Amino acid sequence: MRLRDWEARLSAFLAERRDMPFAWGSMDCALFATAAAAAQTGDDRAAEYRGTYTDRKGSAAALRCLGKGTLLRTMDSLFPRCPPAFARRGDLVWFKGSVGVCVGGEALFVGEVRVAKAAGVMLREGLIAVPRGEWTRAWRV
Protein backbone atom coordinates (compact mmCIF):
# COMPACT_ATOMS: atom_id res chain seq x y z
CA MET A 1 0.00 0.00 0.00
CA ARG A 2 1.37 3.39 -0.96
CA LEU A 3 1.88 6.09 1.62
CA ARG A 4 -0.35 9.16 1.57
CA ASP A 5 2.49 11.36 0.22
CA TRP A 6 3.88 8.73 -2.17
CA GLU A 7 3.97 11.06 -5.17
CA ALA A 8 6.15 13.62 -3.39
CA ARG A 9 8.37 10.82 -2.07
CA LEU A 10 8.74 9.31 -5.54
CA SER A 11 9.51 12.69 -7.11
CA ALA A 12 12.19 13.41 -4.50
CA PHE A 13 13.65 9.92 -4.90
CA LEU A 14 13.92 10.29 -8.67
CA ALA A 15 15.38 13.81 -8.45
CA GLU A 16 18.11 12.60 -6.07
CA ARG A 17 19.12 9.83 -8.47
CA ARG A 18 18.72 11.66 -11.77
CA ASP A 19 22.46 11.82 -12.52
CA MET A 20 23.73 8.87 -10.48
CA PRO A 21 25.71 6.39 -12.57
CA PHE A 22 25.04 2.67 -12.64
CA ALA A 23 26.76 0.77 -9.80
CA TRP A 24 26.31 -2.92 -9.01
CA GLY A 25 24.83 -3.44 -5.56
CA SER A 26 23.72 0.14 -5.00
CA MET A 27 22.45 1.78 -8.21
CA ASP A 28 21.71 -1.13 -10.51
CA CYS A 29 18.30 -1.55 -12.13
CA ALA A 30 16.83 -3.92 -9.55
CA LEU A 31 17.93 -1.98 -6.48
CA PHE A 32 16.95 1.35 -8.06
CA ALA A 33 13.46 0.12 -8.94
CA THR A 34 12.81 -1.62 -5.62
CA ALA A 35 14.10 1.44 -3.74
CA ALA A 36 11.61 3.55 -5.71
CA ALA A 37 8.87 1.18 -4.57
CA ALA A 38 10.14 1.44 -0.98
CA ALA A 39 10.08 5.25 -1.20
CA GLN A 40 6.38 5.04 -2.07
CA THR A 41 5.36 2.37 0.43
CA GLY A 42 7.88 2.36 3.28
CA ASP A 43 8.40 -1.38 2.61
CA ASP A 44 11.80 -2.34 1.14
CA ARG A 45 11.14 -5.74 -0.42
CA ALA A 46 14.77 -5.97 -1.57
CA ALA A 47 16.42 -5.10 1.75
CA GLU A 48 18.11 -8.50 2.01
CA TYR A 49 19.91 -7.92 -1.32
CA ARG A 50 21.36 -4.50 -0.48
CA GLY A 51 25.06 -4.57 0.31
CA THR A 52 25.47 -8.23 -0.68
CA TYR A 53 27.22 -7.78 -4.06
CA THR A 54 29.38 -5.36 -6.02
CA ASP A 55 29.54 -6.88 -9.52
CA ARG A 56 27.55 -8.82 -12.13
CA LYS A 57 28.66 -12.20 -10.75
CA GLY A 58 27.63 -11.23 -7.24
CA SER A 59 24.27 -10.03 -8.51
CA ALA A 60 23.62 -13.37 -10.20
CA ALA A 61 24.67 -15.21 -7.03
CA ALA A 62 22.32 -13.07 -4.92
CA LEU A 63 19.44 -13.83 -7.28
CA ARG A 64 20.21 -17.56 -7.02
CA CYS A 65 20.70 -17.61 -3.24
CA LEU A 66 18.24 -14.97 -2.02
CA GLY A 67 15.85 -14.66 -4.94
CA LYS A 68 14.09 -16.96 -7.36
CA GLY A 69 17.07 -17.59 -9.67
CA THR A 70 16.55 -14.80 -12.21
CA LEU A 71 15.69 -11.12 -11.98
CA LEU A 72 12.38 -11.66 -13.76
CA ARG A 73 11.25 -14.48 -11.45
CA THR A 74 12.45 -12.55 -8.41
CA MET A 75 10.45 -9.45 -9.44
CA ASP A 76 7.41 -11.71 -9.95
CA SER A 77 7.84 -12.96 -6.38
CA LEU A 78 8.11 -9.43 -4.93
CA PHE A 79 5.34 -7.58 -6.78
CA PRO A 80 2.04 -8.51 -8.49
CA ARG A 81 2.12 -8.35 -12.28
CA CYS A 82 -0.09 -6.10 -14.38
CA PRO A 83 -0.25 -5.49 -18.14
CA PRO A 84 2.33 -2.85 -19.21
CA ALA A 85 -0.48 -0.82 -20.82
CA PHE A 86 -2.05 -0.42 -17.37
CA ALA A 87 1.11 0.52 -15.45
CA ARG A 88 0.60 3.68 -13.40
CA ARG A 89 3.07 6.25 -12.15
CA GLY A 90 5.37 4.57 -9.65
CA ASP A 91 4.77 1.01 -10.86
CA LEU A 92 7.77 -1.04 -12.00
CA VAL A 93 8.32 -2.07 -15.61
CA TRP A 94 10.57 -4.34 -17.68
CA PHE A 95 12.61 -3.42 -20.76
CA LYS A 96 15.30 -5.63 -22.33
CA GLY A 97 16.25 -7.39 -19.10
CA SER A 98 16.12 -4.32 -16.86
CA VAL A 99 13.64 -2.98 -14.33
CA GLY A 100 12.60 0.67 -14.29
CA VAL A 101 9.98 2.98 -12.81
CA CYS A 102 6.89 4.19 -14.67
CA VAL A 103 6.53 7.97 -14.64
CA GLY A 104 3.58 8.17 -17.04
CA GLY A 105 4.08 7.62 -20.76
CA GLU A 106 7.67 6.62 -20.17
CA ALA A 107 9.75 4.85 -17.54
CA LEU A 108 13.10 5.72 -16.01
CA PHE A 109 15.93 3.19 -16.04
CA VAL A 110 19.53 3.38 -14.82
CA GLY A 111 21.90 3.67 -17.76
CA GLU A 112 23.62 5.99 -20.13
CA VAL A 113 22.44 7.92 -23.13
CA ARG A 114 24.24 9.78 -25.89
CA VAL A 115 23.60 13.52 -25.78
CA ALA A 116 24.48 15.93 -28.57
CA LYS A 117 26.56 18.85 -27.31
CA ALA A 118 28.27 21.69 -29.17
CA ALA A 119 31.58 19.84 -28.77
CA GLY A 120 30.15 16.60 -30.18
CA VAL A 121 28.34 13.61 -28.75
CA MET A 122 28.74 13.00 -25.01
CA LEU A 123 27.56 10.19 -22.77
CA ARG A 124 25.33 11.09 -19.85
CA GLU A 125 24.97 8.57 -17.05
CA GLY A 126 21.96 8.44 -14.80
CA LEU A 127 18.28 7.92 -15.40
CA ILE A 128 17.17 7.45 -18.98
CA ALA A 129 13.63 7.42 -20.34
CA VAL A 130 12.10 4.54 -22.30
CA PRO A 131 8.64 4.99 -23.87
CA ARG A 132 5.69 2.86 -22.74
CA GLY A 133 5.47 1.00 -26.05
CA GLU A 134 8.87 -0.61 -25.36
CA TRP A 135 7.96 -2.22 -22.02
CA THR A 136 7.18 -5.93 -22.02
CA ARG A 137 6.14 -6.50 -18.37
CA ALA A 138 4.95 -4.44 -15.42
CA TRP A 139 4.35 -4.83 -11.68
CA ARG A 140 2.06 -2.94 -9.30
CA VAL A 141 3.59 -1.11 -6.37
Side-chain angles (χ1 to χ4, degrees), residues 28-38 44-46 49-50 53 62-63 66-82 90-95 97-102 109 137-141:
D28 58 45
C29 72
L31 294 182
F32 160 71
T34 55
D44 187 0
R45 298 180 190 184
Y49 297 88
R50 297 186 195 287
Y53 61 91
L63 288 171
L66 301 171
K68 299 296 180 188
T70 68
L71 179 55
L72 184 57
R73 286 195 299 253
T74 300
M75 293 303 297
D76 281 339
S77 74
L78 296 174
F79 299 94
R81 270 228 202 160
C82 69
D91 286 343
L92 307 184
V93 299
W94 184 264
F95 170 71
S98 294
V99 184
V101 180
C102 174
F109 291 80
R137 292 176 177 81
W139 297 271
R140 287 271 181 246
V141 170

Coordinates of all heavy atoms in Angstrom, one line a residue, residues 28-38 44-46 49-50 53 62-63 66-82 90-95 97-102 109 137-141:
D28 N 22.0 -0.3 -9.3 CA 21.7 -1.1 -10.5 C 20.2 -1.1 -10.7 O 19.5 -0.5 -9.9 CB 22.3 -2.6 -10.4 CG 21.8 -3.3 -9.2 OD1 20.5 -3.3 -8.9 OD2 22.6 -3.9 -8.5
C29 N 19.7 -1.7 -11.8 CA 18.3 -1.5 -12.1 C 17.4 -2.1 -11.0 O 16.4 -1.5 -10.7 CB 18.0 -2.2 -13.5 SG 18.0 -3.9 -13.6
A30 N 17.7 -3.3 -10.5 CA 16.8 -3.9 -9.5 C 16.8 -3.1 -8.2 O 15.7 -2.9 -7.7 CB 17.3 -5.3 -9.3
L31 N 17.9 -2.7 -7.8 CA 17.9 -2.0 -6.5 C 17.4 -0.6 -6.6 O 16.7 -0.1 -5.7 CB 19.3 -2.0 -5.9 CG 19.8 -3.4 -5.5 CD1 21.2 -3.3 -4.8 CD2 18.8 -4.0 -4.5
F32 N 17.6 0.1 -7.8 CA 17.0 1.4 -8.1 C 15.4 1.2 -8.0 O 14.7 2.0 -7.4 CB 17.4 1.9 -9.4 CG 16.5 3.0 -10.0 CD1 16.5 4.2 -9.4 CD2 15.8 2.7 -11.1 CE1 15.6 5.2 -10.0 CE2 14.9 3.6 -11.6 CZ 14.9 4.9 -11.1
A33 N 14.9 0.3 -8.8 CA 13.5 0.1 -8.9 C 12.8 -0.3 -7.6 O 11.8 0.3 -7.2 CB 13.1 -0.9 -10.0
T34 N 13.4 -1.2 -6.9 CA 12.8 -1.6 -5.6 C 12.9 -0.5 -4.6 O 12.1 -0.4 -3.7 CB 13.4 -2.9 -5.1 OG1 14.8 -2.8 -5.0 CG2 13.0 -4.1 -6.0
A35 N 14.0 0.3 -4.7 CA 14.1 1.4 -3.7 C 13.0 2.5 -4.1 O 12.5 3.1 -3.1 CB 15.5 2.1 -3.8
A36 N 12.7 2.6 -5.3 CA 11.6 3.6 -5.7 C 10.3 3.1 -5.1 O 9.5 3.9 -4.6 CB 11.5 3.7 -7.2
A37 N 10.1 1.8 -5.2 CA 8.9 1.2 -4.6 C 8.9 1.4 -3.1 O 7.8 1.8 -2.5 CB 8.8 -0.3 -4.9
A38 N 10.0 1.2 -2.4 CA 10.1 1.4 -1.0 C 9.9 2.9 -0.6 O 9.3 3.2 0.4 CB 11.5 1.0 -0.5
D44 N 10.7 -2.0 2.0 CA 11.8 -2.3 1.1 C 11.8 -3.8 0.9 O 12.4 -4.6 1.7 CB 13.1 -1.8 1.7 CG 14.3 -2.0 0.7 OD1 14.1 -2.5 -0.4 OD2 15.4 -1.7 1.1
R45 N 11.2 -4.3 -0.1 CA 11.1 -5.7 -0.4 C 12.5 -6.3 -0.9 O 12.6 -7.5 -1.0 CB 10.0 -6.0 -1.5 CG 8.7 -5.6 -0.9 CD 7.6 -5.8 -1.9 NE 6.4 -5.2 -1.5 CZ 5.2 -5.3 -2.1 NH1 5.1 -6.0 -3.2 NH2 4.2 -4.7 -1.6
A46 N 13.5 -5.5 -1.1 CA 14.8 -6.0 -1.6 C 15.8 -5.7 -0.5 O 17.0 -5.8 -0.8 CB 15.1 -5.3 -2.9
Y49 N 18.9 -7.9 -0.2 CA 19.9 -7.9 -1.3 C 20.9 -6.8 -1.2 O 22.0 -6.9 -1.7 CB 19.2 -7.8 -2.7 CG 18.3 -8.9 -3.0 CD1 16.9 -8.9 -2.6 CD2 18.7 -10.0 -3.7 CE1 16.1 -9.9 -2.9 CE2 17.9 -11.0 -4.0 CZ 16.5 -11.0 -3.6 OH 15.7 -12.0 -3.9
R50 N 20.5 -5.7 -0.5 CA 21.4 -4.5 -0.5 C 22.6 -4.8 0.3 O 22.6 -5.4 1.4 CB 20.6 -3.3 0.2 CG 19.4 -3.0 -0.7 CD 18.7 -1.7 -0.2 NE 17.4 -1.6 -0.8 CZ 17.1 -1.3 -2.1 NH1 18.2 -1.0 -2.8 NH2 15.9 -1.3 -2.6
Y53 N 26.4 -7.5 -2.9 CA 27.2 -7.8 -4.1 C 27.7 -6.5 -4.6 O 27.2 -5.4 -4.3 CB 26.4 -8.5 -5.1 CG 25.2 -7.8 -5.6 CD1 25.2 -7.0 -6.7 CD2 23.9 -8.0 -5.0 CE1 24.1 -6.3 -7.2 CE2 22.8 -7.3 -5.4 CZ 22.9 -6.5 -6.5 OH 21.8 -5.8 -6.9
A62 N 23.4 -13.5 -5.8 CA 22.3 -13.1 -4.9 C 20.9 -13.5 -5.4 O 20.1 -13.9 -4.6 CB 22.4 -11.6 -4.7
L63 N 20.7 -13.4 -6.7 CA 19.4 -13.8 -7.3 C 19.2 -15.3 -7.1 O 18.1 -15.8 -6.9 CB 19.3 -13.4 -8.8 CG 19.1 -12.0 -9.0 CD1 19.3 -11.7 -10.5 CD2 17.8 -11.5 -8.5
L66 N 19.3 -15.7 -2.8 CA 18.2 -15.0 -2.0 C 16.9 -14.8 -2.8 O 15.9 -14.7 -2.2 CB 18.7 -13.6 -1.7 CG 20.0 -13.5 -0.8 CD1 20.5 -12.1 -0.8 CD2 19.8 -14.1 0.5
G67 N 17.0 -14.9 -4.1 CA 15.8 -14.7 -4.9 C 15.3 -15.9 -5.5 O 15.4 -17.0 -4.9
K68 N 14.7 -15.8 -6.7 CA 14.1 -17.0 -7.4 C 14.9 -17.4 -8.6 O 14.4 -18.1 -9.4 CB 12.7 -16.6 -7.8 CG 11.8 -16.2 -6.7 CD 11.5 -17.4 -5.7 CE 10.6 -17.0 -4.6 NZ 10.5 -18.0 -3.6
G69 N 16.2 -17.1 -8.6 CA 17.1 -17.6 -9.7 C 17.4 -16.6 -10.8 O 18.5 -16.5 -11.3
T70 N 16.4 -15.8 -11.2 CA 16.5 -14.8 -12.2 C 15.9 -13.5 -11.7 O 15.0 -13.5 -10.8 CB 15.9 -15.2 -13.6 OG1 14.5 -15.2 -13.4 CG2 16.4 -16.5 -14.1
L71 N 16.3 -12.4 -12.4 CA 15.7 -11.1 -12.0 C 14.2 -11.1 -12.3 O 13.4 -10.7 -11.4 CB 16.4 -10.0 -12.7 CG 15.9 -8.6 -12.5 CD1 15.9 -8.3 -11.0 CD2 16.7 -7.6 -13.3
L72 N 13.8 -11.6 -13.4 CA 12.4 -11.7 -13.8 C 11.6 -12.5 -12.8 O 10.5 -12.0 -12.2 CB 12.2 -12.2 -15.2 CG 10.8 -12.2 -15.7 CD1 10.2 -10.8 -15.7 CD2 10.8 -12.8 -17.1
R73 N 12.0 -13.7 -12.4 CA 11.2 -14.5 -11.4 C 11.3 -13.9 -10.1 O 10.3 -13.9 -9.3 CB 11.8 -15.9 -11.4 CG 11.4 -16.7 -12.6 CD 11.6 -18.2 -12.4 NE 13.0 -18.5 -12.2 CZ 13.8 -19.1 -13.1 NH1 13.4 -19.5 -14.3 NH2 15.1 -19.4 -12.7
T74 N 12.4 -13.2 -9.7 CA 12.5 -12.5 -8.4 C 11.5 -11.4 -8.3 O 10.8 -11.2 -7.4 CB 13.9 -12.1 -8.1 OG1 14.8 -13.2 -8.1 CG2 14.0 -11.4 -6.8
M75 N 11.4 -10.6 -9.4 CA 10.5 -9.5 -9.4 C 9.0 -10.0 -9.3 O 8.2 -9.4 -8.6 CB 10.6 -8.6 -10.7 CG 11.9 -7.8 -10.8 SD 12.2 -6.7 -9.4 CE 10.9 -5.6 -9.6
D76 N 8.7 -11.1 -10.0 CA 7.4 -11.7 -10.0 C 7.1 -12.1 -8.5 O 5.9 -12.1 -8.1 CB 7.3 -12.9 -10.9 CG 7.1 -12.5 -12.3 OD1 6.6 -11.4 -12.6 OD2 7.4 -13.4 -13.2
S77 N 8.1 -12.5 -7.8 CA 7.8 -13.0 -6.4 C 7.7 -11.8 -5.4 O 7.1 -11.9 -4.4 CB 9.0 -13.9 -5.9 OG 10.2 -13.1 -5.6
L78 N 8.2 -10.6 -5.8 CA 8.1 -9.4 -4.9 C 6.9 -8.5 -5.2 O 6.4 -7.9 -4.2 CB 9.4 -8.6 -5.1 CG 10.7 -9.3 -4.7 CD1 11.9 -8.4 -5.0 CD2 10.7 -9.6 -3.2
F79 N 6.4 -8.5 -6.4 CA 5.3 -7.6 -6.8 C 4.3 -8.3 -7.7 O 4.7 -9.1 -8.5 CB 5.9 -6.4 -7.5 CG 6.9 -5.5 -6.7 CD1 8.2 -5.8 -6.8 CD2 6.4 -4.6 -5.9 CE1 9.2 -5.0 -6.1 CE2 7.3 -3.8 -5.1 CZ 8.7 -4.1 -5.2
P80 N 3.0 -7.9 -7.6 CA 2.0 -8.5 -8.5 C 2.2 -7.9 -9.9 O 2.4 -6.7 -10.1 CB 0.7 -8.1 -7.8 CG 1.0 -6.9 -7.0 CD 2.5 -7.0 -6.6
R81 N 2.0 -8.8 -10.9 CA 2.1 -8.3 -12.3 C 0.9 -7.6 -12.7 O -0.2 -7.9 -12.2 CB 2.3 -9.6 -13.2 CG 3.7 -9.9 -13.4 CD 4.0 -10.1 -14.8 NE 5.3 -10.9 -14.9 CZ 5.6 -11.6 -15.9 NH1 4.9 -11.6 -17.0 NH2 6.7 -12.3 -15.9
C82 N 1.0 -6.7 -13.7 CA -0.1 -6.1 -14.4 C 0.3 -5.9 -15.8 O 1.5 -6.0 -16.1 CB -0.5 -4.8 -13.7 SG 0.8 -3.5 -13.9
G90 N 4.8 5.2 -10.8 CA 5.4 4.6 -9.7 C 5.4 3.1 -9.8 O 6.2 2.4 -9.0
D91 N 4.7 2.5 -10.7 CA 4.8 1.0 -10.9 C 6.1 0.7 -11.5 O 6.8 1.5 -12.1 CB 3.6 0.5 -11.7 CG 2.3 0.5 -11.0 OD1 2.3 0.5 -9.8 OD2 1.3 0.4 -11.7
L92 N 6.5 -0.6 -11.4 CA 7.8 -1.0 -12.0 C 7.5 -1.7 -13.3 O 6.5 -2.4 -13.5 CB 8.4 -2.0 -11.0 CG 8.6 -1.5 -9.6 CD1 9.4 -2.5 -8.7 CD2 9.3 -0.1 -9.6
V93 N 8.5 -1.5 -14.3 CA 8.3 -2.1 -15.6 C 9.6 -2.7 -16.1 O 10.7 -2.5 -15.6 CB 7.9 -1.0 -16.6 CG1 6.5 -0.4 -16.2 CG2 8.9 0.1 -16.7
W94 N 9.5 -3.5 -17.1 CA 10.6 -4.3 -17.7 C 10.9 -3.9 -19.1 O 10.0 -3.8 -19.9 CB 10.1 -5.8 -17.7 CG 11.2 -6.8 -18.1 CD1 11.3 -7.3 -19.3 CD2 12.1 -7.4 -17.3 NE1 12.3 -8.3 -19.3 CE2 12.8 -8.3 -18.1 CE3 12.5 -7.3 -15.9 CZ2 13.9 -9.2 -17.6 CZ3 13.5 -8.1 -15.5 CH2 14.2 -9.0 -16.3
F95 N 12.2 -3.8 -19.4 CA 12.6 -3.4 -20.8 C 14.0 -4.1 -21.0 O 14.9 -3.7 -20.3 CB 12.7 -1.9 -20.9 CG 13.4 -1.4 -22.2 CD1 12.7 -1.6 -23.4 CD2 14.6 -0.9 -22.1 CE1 13.4 -1.2 -24.6 CE2 15.2 -0.4 -23.3 CZ 14.6 -0.6 -24.5
G97 N 15.5 -6.8 -20.2 CA 16.2 -7.4 -19.1 C 16.5 -6.5 -17.9 O 17.2 -6.8 -17.0
S98 N 15.9 -5.3 -17.9 CA 16.1 -4.3 -16.9 C 14.8 -3.9 -16.3 O 13.8 -3.9 -17.0 CB 16.8 -3.1 -17.4 OG 18.1 -3.4 -17.8
V99 N 14.8 -3.5 -15.0 CA 13.6 -3.0 -14.3 C 13.7 -1.5 -14.2 O 14.8 -1.0 -13.8 CB 13.5 -3.6 -12.9 CG1 12.2 -3.2 -12.3 CG2 13.6 -5.1 -13.0
G100 N 12.6 -0.8 -14.4 CA 12.6 0.7 -14.3 C 11.3 1.1 -13.6 O 10.5 0.3 -13.1
V101 N 11.1 2.4 -13.5 CA 10.0 3.0 -12.8 C 9.1 3.8 -13.8 O 9.6 4.7 -14.4 CB 10.5 3.9 -11.7 CG1 9.3 4.5 -10.9 CG2 11.4 3.1 -10.7
C102 N 7.8 3.5 -13.8 CA 6.9 4.2 -14.7 C 6.7 5.6 -14.1 O 6.5 5.8 -12.9 CB 5.6 3.4 -14.7 SG 4.2 4.3 -15.6
F109 N 15.0 4.3 -16.3 CA 15.9 3.2 -16.0 C 17.3 3.7 -15.8 O 17.7 4.8 -16.2 CB 16.0 2.3 -17.3 CG 14.7 1.5 -17.6 CD1 13.7 2.1 -18.2 CD2 14.6 0.2 -17.2 CE1 12.5 1.5 -18.4 CE2 13.5 -0.5 -17.5 CZ 12.4 0.1 -18.1
R137 N 6.8 -6.0 -19.6 CA 6.1 -6.5 -18.4 C 6.0 -5.3 -17.4 O 6.7 -4.3 -17.5 CB 7.0 -7.6 -17.7 CG 7.0 -8.9 -18.5 CD 7.9 -9.9 -17.9 NE 7.9 -11.1 -18.6 CZ 8.6 -11.4 -19.7 NH1 9.4 -10.4 -20.2 NH2 8.6 -12.6 -20.3
A138 N 5.1 -5.5 -16.4 CA 4.9 -4.4 -15.4 C 4.5 -5.1 -14.1 O 3.9 -6.2 -14.1 CB 4.0 -3.4 -15.9
W139 N 4.8 -4.4 -13.0 CA 4.4 -4.8 -11.7 C 3.7 -3.7 -10.9 O 4.2 -2.5 -11.0 CB 5.6 -5.3 -10.9 CG 6.2 -6.5 -11.5 CD1 5.9 -7.9 -11.3 CD2 7.3 -6.6 -12.4 NE1 6.7 -8.7 -12.0 CE2 7.6 -7.9 -12.7 CE3 8.0 -5.6 -13.1 CZ2 8.6 -8.3 -13.6 CZ3 9.0 -5.9 -14.0 CH2 9.3 -7.3 -14.2
R140 N 2.7 -3.9 -10.2 CA 2.1 -2.9 -9.3 C 2.9 -2.7 -8.1 O 3.4 -3.6 -7.5 CB 0.7 -3.4 -8.9 CG -0.3 -3.4 -9.9 CD -1.1 -2.1 -9.9 NE -2.1 -2.1 -11.0 CZ -2.0 -1.4 -12.1 NH1 -1.1 -0.5 -12.3 NH2 -3.0 -1.5 -13.0
V141 N 2.9 -1.5 -7.6 CA 3.6 -1.1 -6.4 C 2.5 -0.8 -5.4 O 1.5 -0.2 -5.7 CB 4.5 0.1 -6.5 CG1 5.0 0.6 -5.2 CG2 5.7 -0.3 -7.4

